[in-house]
Amino acid sequence: MSILQEILGWAKSLAPWQSDAVGRIFAKESLTAEDLDDLYALLKTEHGIPDPKGRKANPLADDKIPAGAQPNEHVELVAMKNLTNVNAIAEKQRLEFGPKGLTVIYGDNGSGKSGYSRVLKKACRARDQSEQILPNANIPPGKAGRAGATFEITINGLAKELPWEDGKPAAQELSSLAIFDSRCARAYLDNEDDFSYVPYGLDILEGLAVICRQFDSQIKTEQTQCAVDKTVFTELAATQTAAGKLVAALNAKTNIGEVEKLAALSPEESARRDELDKSLKADNPKEKATQLRLRAARITHLAKSAAEKLGLVDGAALTKLRGLAEAYHTAKAAAELAANAFKKDATLLQGTGGEAWKELFEAARKFAAEAYPDKNFPKLGDGTPCPLCQQPLNDGAARLVRFEEFVQQEAEKNMRACRKALADQYKPFEQANVSLGYDDVLFKEIEGLDAALANATRDFEKSLLARHKAIKQACEDRAWEKVDAEPASPSAQLNILAATLAKEAEDLEKAADEKARAALQSEFDELDARLKLGKLKPAVVSAVEKYLLAEKLSKCASAVKTNAITMKSTELAEKVISKELADALNSEFRALGAGNLHVTLATRAVKGKTLHKLKIDLPHSRNPGEILSEGEQRAIAIGSFLAEVNIGKGSGGVIFDDPVSSLDHKRRERVATRLVQEAAKRQVIVLTHDVYFLCVLMEEASRIGIPTTTQSLSRRPEGFGVADPSLPFEAMGTKSRVGALRDIQQRIAKLYKDGDEPEFRKQTVDCYRQLRIAWERAVEEVLLQNVVLRFRKGIETKRLERVVVEDSDYKTIEQAMTKCSNYPHDQALLGGVAIPEPDELLADINLLDDWRISVEKRTADISKRRKAAP
């Protein structure tokens, strides 16, 4: 199992935030401030400290780590094709790779090479995935889908296609291809003041430990910031009250609800505290108690009066009077209807049957009972003196009987009954006194205690009087709508005030008694402490929150201890750090021209256990980045990558993306030689934009007979990244350059035929420039048989056996170079020099090819003859 696979398994046992951190360290060369902020928030969230941004951990997943080679499984990359939504790379492209030996993919800047490289890194689960794969910038945002591609591979010789889509798990088989990146290894100054080499993958654990140490420092800072200042609670905490004891024992487990409950005094409790305060501070409490009881009695009497007086004019009284009055008025109307018929008799005086007449008739009845006790009124008989005029009754006797009949009619009787009922109820109501007897003295007393209640009581009394008057008037004119609504009685509030005074009097009486006074003092202290707690509540709540935060931060501090990381790092180091690895590293460093770098296996014992580390012999007065040159740092990276790949005993392919970027030609030659050597054992794929490095790779591969596959990437009308198996012109041999020139000549001939004179002149001039370069290459390759090559560090004298330079060679080359040099100048483009027609250009190209063929035949004959010579 590889280190990365071991780390993946271990990461699954970690807290989510740590697993997320491992994933970020693997994927990024260095974590940003935003990464660290995310991880710190996730750490705190896992221990109960909410994250305002609601961030969620993204633990390291299996598909993010290379799966590693499977036993008895050999994977070869054949091609990648059909890239979609990858920058502006053209569709339906197929980039081939040689299954054996060396594949070199060349692309200038802006050719689309980076797009292929990014896809390879994503699909093969490389660590360097910092660059996002963006879609074509010309496609409107939101309309481009995810980047995708198809990979052709063979597994033990069997062909298979694997689809890939950005953002989805890549096929496990692709991860058996190792991709080189600059983080494969590095040197660092350890805690023993040695420069140590960190094998690929172990830096993840060291990076996690660095994060934990940084977070530990942040936690300590936060713990300092959330320290509680208890001085503000000193006075309250010193009291033996419930509030005081709560404050004295504040901690993370303090119940905020209990604090809220104790700190909230009801209006009654607040008033009670004030009463107790007055009672305890009062002089001559007994006399004050007597005065308070008298005052309470007067207020109680007023409350009773208010209740009783309201009863005289309340809704029930109003309803009863209104009912009787309405009944009387209705009966009266009925009686009047009957009286109208009686009054129609013209012989009767006006008003007969009316109220005055009825009273007179009733008076006659009463007098007749006294004057004629033996007779029944109105049947007094003819000739009997009239009870009213005392003249003899003649016809008058019959008229009295008629009057009696009228009076005794039903309507009349009902009216009289209703009038009596109303009178019985109304007279007491009319005579009732609804005044409260609320004088100014009593008003001042109540006003001193409760001004609002004093005024409300006075208003109540006025309302009673007005209502009483309105009801009396309504009984006569039936204008009941003018009667105001029943006023609200202050009786209950007056009784509460009286009770409060009585309680205060009681407290004063108790205050005169030491034992009772102590009880009052205790009650006051509790209420007063709660009042103080209310004022301190924000500070108390803040303190509890700080205690709670400190407790959670302590848990965070425990979670960032590095013991487990150190143990795992030691465990993995013991598995991979060996003398075999040290020897392999030193061998690679020498091969890459960094022989001054030397790794030794350092061993030490700790608590009976043997520990190893790879020590790099360097002066450790400064940072390794300041001591090592860029070439040496790249040598460490490439060397360690190759050393660890080879120690792994696997046969999977390796991919290098611009491995010699910014290196000088000497180091590029070293790297090229080493990569070609590696291609003898496994599939090696190199992506580069360096023509010289490409040429050195091709030459070295040719020298030792390594199969080579080439691909060029270029920008064309259909898009970027168009693949072509031919190399760029600068890297071609003479024969290939001739073929390329003939292709160019065909395009020029078409321009000539189409009459595009400016473009024809321009491309013809450029073609002669390239033809001149081809002659220069032919001199090195064909005439001098690669004895001397530009940029090559040595001269291969053995090749001289194939070299013969004749006069005709000189003449042909001189004439051709002169002609080619005649056109790539301003005067040719400006029309000062006649531009050859396409047929003449083709003849000049064929001249080079014919000369090449003749020289190669001659060279072969000369070489054969010289070898045969004694």
Side-chain angles (χ1 to χ4, degrees):
M1 183 182 292
S2 70
I3 291 179
L4 294 178
Q5 284 296 313
E6 290 245 15
I7 291 174
L8 172 63
W10 177 68
K12 291 179 179 179
S13 67
L14 299 176
W17 79 267
Q18 282 188 313
S19 182
D20 188 318
V22 170
R24 296 189 193 217
I25 296 169
F26 173 80
K28 296 184 177 182
E29 186 167 356
S30 61
L31 298 192
T32 64
E34 184 179 359
D35 286 322
L36 295 172
D37 185 58
D38 289 345
L39 293 171
Y40 192 54
L42 293 172
L43 162 65
K44 295 201 290 185
T45 299
E46 288 181 23
H47 293 91
I49 303 174
D51 175 21
K53 296 182 180 179
R55 286 164 282 199
K56 303 295 182 184
N58 183 23
L60 181 65
D62 292 12
D63 62 283
K64 300 299 182 184
I65 297 292
Q70 299 297 314
N72 304 317
E73 182 177 278
H74 178 66
V75 178
E76 292 175 344
L77 182 60
V78 177
M80 59 187 297
K81 62 183 182 181
N82 299 334
L83 274 67
T84 56
N85 298 311
V86 177
N87 306 136
I89 289 180
E91 296 181 354
K92 298 180 181 179
Q93 292 300 304
R94 185 174 185 273
L95 184 63
E96 292 187 11
F97 306 97
K100 306 291 183 185
L102 176 69
T103 297
V104 182
I105 300 167
Y106 173 82
D108 287 324
N109 292 328
S111 64
K113 178 178 67 68
S114 296
Y116 285 97
S117 172
R118 290 168 189 164
V119 171
L120 280 168
K121 290 177 181 179
K122 291 270 189 179
C124 299
R125 305 183 188 178
R127 286 187 66 178
D128 182 13
Q129 297 191 16
S130 56
E131 294 181 289
Q132 289 185 321
I133 299 177
L134 301 175
N136 191 332
N138 295 321
I139 297 177
K143 291 196 174 181
R146 290 183 176 182
T150 300
F151 289 86
E152 295 179 15
I153 65 169
T154 62
I155 303 176
N156 297 333
L158 298 176
K160 186 176 182 179
E161 285 197 356
L162 300 173
W164 171 83
E165 185 175 328
D166 193 18
K168 293 185 178 181
Q172 177 176 309
E173 295 90 338
L174 292 173
S175 68
S176 64
L177 298 164
I179 296 186
F180 166 79
D181 64 64
S182 59
R183 291 185 295 152
C184 289
R186 63 189 182 87
Y188 76 103
L189 185 65
D190 65 18
N191 56 10
E192 296 179 350
D193 291 337
D194 286 330
F195 280 116
S196 296
Y197 162 82
V198 185
Y200 186 73
L202 284 185
D203 63 301
I204 294 175
L205 298 181
E206 196 240 329
L208 181 59
V210 169
I211 291 173
C212 287
R213 288 192 289 271
Q214 180 175 333
F215 286 176
D216 183 63
S217 176
Q218 288 181 247
I219 290 167
K220 287 177 180 175
T221 300
E222 283 201 54
Q223 286 175 324
T224 301
Q225 293 171 347
C226 68
V228 177
D229 180 8
K230 294 184 177 180
T231 56
V232 69
F233 309 129
T234 303
E235 180 183 350
L236 180 57
T239 65
Q240 294 302 308
T241 61
K245 291 175 181 178
L246 181 145
V247 169
L250 281 181
N251 57 61
K253 293 183 173 60
T254 298
N255 189 324
I256 296 295
E258 183 64 21
V259 174
E260 298 276 0
K261 182 179 177 182
L262 276 176
L265 263 69
S266 67
E268 293 78 13
E269 288 173 324
S270 183
R272 176 63 177 159
R273 179 213 167 269
D274 294 342
E275 292 166 7
L276 289 170
D277 190 31
K278 290 179 183 178
S279 299
L280 291 168
K281 292 178 179 178
D283 296 327
N284 197 354
K286 284 188 177 181
E287 182 181 342
K288 288 188 177 181
T290 300
Q291 294 173 355
L292 286 175
R293 288 195 183 279
L294 290 173
R295 185 176 298 169
R298 287 194 292 273
I299 294 173
T300 299
H301 177 73
L302 179 62
K304 182 180 179 183
S305 177
E308 290 175 350
K309 298 302 172 70
L310 179 60
L312 295 176
V313 296
D314 63 6
L318 174 63
T319 300
K320 189 170 184 180
L321 271 174
R322 183 174 183 176
L324 291 172
E326 291 300 314
Y328 165 69
H329 286 295
T330 301
K332 181 181 178 183
E336 286 176 349
L337 286 174
N340 286 337
F342 178 70
K343 294 175 182 177
K344 287 180 180 180
D345 188 345
T347 62
L348 300 177
L349 295 173
Q350 186 177 356
T352 302
E355 290 299 318
W357 177 85
K358 289 176 184 177
E359 291 182 6
L360 179 63
F361 189 75
E362 289 299 322
R365 184 192 301 277
K366 291 180 181 180
F367 181 70
E370 293 181 10
Y372 309 108
D374 56 340
K375 293 183 181 183
N376 292 323
F377 184 85
K379 295 178 181 181
L380 300 179
D382 292 341
T384 306
C386 173
L388 297 176
C389 67
Q390 299 189 8
Q391 293 294 322
L393 292 171
N394 294 316
D395 293 337
R399 190 177 288 113
L400 282 177
V401 172
R402 182 183 169 194
F403 288 169
E404 177 67 8
E405 289 174 354
F406 167 71
V407 171
Q408 293 301 324
Q409 286 181 357
E410 187 61 32
E412 184 66 16
K413 288 175 65 177
N414 183 51
M415 183 273 293
R416 290 199 303 271
C418 287
R419 181 174 58 191
K420 183 178 185 305
L422 175 60
D424 290 345
Q425 188 68 29
Y426 179 76
K427 284 182 180 179
F429 178 82
E430 181 185 29
Q431 296 169 0
N433 179 14
V434 295
S435 173
L436 301 180
Y438 188 37
D439 57 26
D440 290 342
V441 174
L442 186 54
F443 173 79
K444 290 295 184 183
E445 286 185 354
I446 297 175
E447 186 182 38
L449 299 169
D450 188 336
L453 179 57
N455 289 317
T457 304
R458 174 156 285 178
D459 292 341
F460 173 72
E461 184 178 39
K462 291 178 181 178
S463 296
L464 284 180
L465 293 169
R467 183 176 171 86
H468 183 252
K469 181 178 180 180
I471 291 173
K472 289 191 296 181
Q473 184 64 35
C475 285
E476 296 180 11
D477 59 17
R478 302 175 73 183
W480 300 103
E481 70 279 359
K482 294 182 179 180
V483 178
D484 292 334
E486 180 181 335
S489 174
S491 180
Q493 291 174 278
L494 290 168
N495 280 325
I496 291 172
L497 180 58
T500 301
L501 294 173
K503 178 62 177 172
E504 191 175 342
E506 182 183 347
D507 292 340
L508 286 168
E509 290 166 350
K510 289 181 179 179
D513 179 83
E514 289 300 323
K515 186 175 181 181
R517 183 181 181 86
L520 292 179
Q521 185 66 54
S522 177
E523 183 183 357
F524 171 77
D525 290 344
E526 289 290 343
L527 291 171
D528 190 56
R530 289 176 60 193
L531 179 66
K532 292 176 180 176
L533 178 61
K535 295 176 181 177
L536 292 173
K537 187 179 73 171
V540 172
V541 172
S542 175
V544 174
E545 290 173 348
K546 286 183 176 181
Y547 280 125
L548 185 59
L549 177 59
E551 184 178 81
K552 293 175 180 178
L553 287 171
S554 294
K555 293 178 181 178
C556 291
S558 298
V560 297
K561 292 186 181 300
T562 58
N563 305 55
I565 300 172
T566 301
M567 289 177 62
K568 189 64 182 180
S569 181
T570 302
E571 174 193 333
L572 293 179
E574 292 301 303
K575 290 183 179 181
V576 298
I577 294 178
S578 61
K579 186 177 185 302
E580 181 186 9
L581 177 57
D583 292 343
L585 286 168
N586 289 327
S587 175
E588 294 293 348
F589 294 164
R590 286 192 297 272
L592 294 168
N596 59 311
L597 298 175
H598 187 71
V599 176
T600 57
L601 181 65
T603 303
R604 61 191 178 94
V606 177
K607 297 182 180 180
K609 184 176 181 179
T610 302
L611 302 178
H612 304 291
K613 71 176 179 180
L614 292 172
K615 180 181 173 183
I616 301 177
D617 295 332
L618 286 172
H620 51 259
S621 59
R622 289 179 292 169
N623 185 285
E626 298 175 354
I627 298 172
L628 299 172
S629 68
E630 187 174 353
E632 290 168 329
Q633 292 180 51
R634 183 56 62 99
I636 289 177
I638 297 176
S640 61
F641 174 76
L642 292 171
E644 292 181 29
V645 163
N646 283 289
I647 283 181
K649 309 301 182 185
S651 60
V654 291
I655 302 172
F656 293 83
D657 180 22
D658 274 330
V660 295
S661 178
S662 74
L663 298 184
D664 61 32
H665 70 279
K666 290 183 179 179
R667 293 214 181 265
R668 281 182 281 179
E669 290 170 1
R670 293 264 191 178
V671 173
T673 300
R674 180 63 189 89
L675 296 188
V676 171
Q677 291 172 354
E678 192 64 26
K681 297 185 290 183
R682 68 180 79 245
Q683 182 183 34
V684 175
I685 299 169
V686 179
L687 292 88
T688 183
H689 69 279
D690 188 325
V691 173
Y692 174 70
F693 182 57
L694 166 63
C695 293
V696 176
L697 281 170
M698 299 300 294
E699 181 188 350
E700 185 64 19
S702 174
R703 187 181 68 80
I704 63 176
I706 299 299
T708 304
T709 301
T710 59
Q711 291 282 338
S712 292
L713 300 174
S714 60
R715 178 185 180 183
R716 295 186 183 174
E718 57 265 39
F720 293 81
V722 177
D724 189 326
S726 63
L727 287 172
F729 191 83
E730 293 82 358
M732 291 179 180
T734 302
K735 183 177 180 181
S736 296
R737 291 187 183 191
V738 168
L741 288 169
R742 283 172 174 159
D743 290 340
I744 294 171
Q745 188 274 341
Q746 289 180 5
R747 293 197 296 271
I748 290 172
K750 186 176 185 304
L751 291 171
Y752 183 77
K753 182 179 179 181
D754 293 342
D756 190 347
E757 180 69 17
E759 191 63 24
F760 159 72
R761 296 178 67 86
K762 179 181 176 182
Q763 290 199 22
T764 302
V765 168
D766 190 58
C767 187
Y768 271 101
R769 181 187 62 80
Q770 290 180 290
L771 180 57
R772 176 181 174 176
I773 294 172
W775 274 105
E776 291 174 350
R777 175 63 178 167
V779 170
E780 293 178 335
E781 175 191 339
V782 179
L783 184 62
L784 299 181
Q785 289 294 299
N786 292 327
V787 172
V788 179
L789 288 177
R790 281 172 290 183
F791 303 114
R792 191 170 68 190
K793 60 186 177 181
I795 298 175
E796 297 189 8
T797 55
K798 288 185 178 182
R799 292 178 178 268
L800 285 172
E801 71 175 13
R802 300 170 60 86
V803 176
V804 174
V805 180
E806 297 183 353
D807 291 347
S808 60
D809 296 325
Y810 162 74
K811 184 181 294 186
T812 300
I813 294 170
E814 175 66 17
Q815 290 175 350
M817 290 291 287
T818 299
K819 183 174 184 178
C820 290
S821 301
N822 192 38
Y823 302 114
H825 299 288
D826 289 344
Q827 56 265 40
L829 290 172
L830 296 173
V833 176
I835 299 297
E837 294 184 357
D839 290 344
E840 184 179 348
L841 172 61
L842 180 59
D844 289 337
I845 295 170
N846 290 337
L847 174 64
L848 171 60
D849 198 34
D850 293 342
W851 176 82
R852 177 189 66 80
I853 293 170
S854 66
V855 172
E856 285 182 348
K857 183 177 182 305
R858 183 185 70 201
T859 298
D861 294 341
I862 291 294
S863 177
K864 185 177 179 181
R865 178 170 59 80
R866 287 177 177 174
K867 285 181 179 180

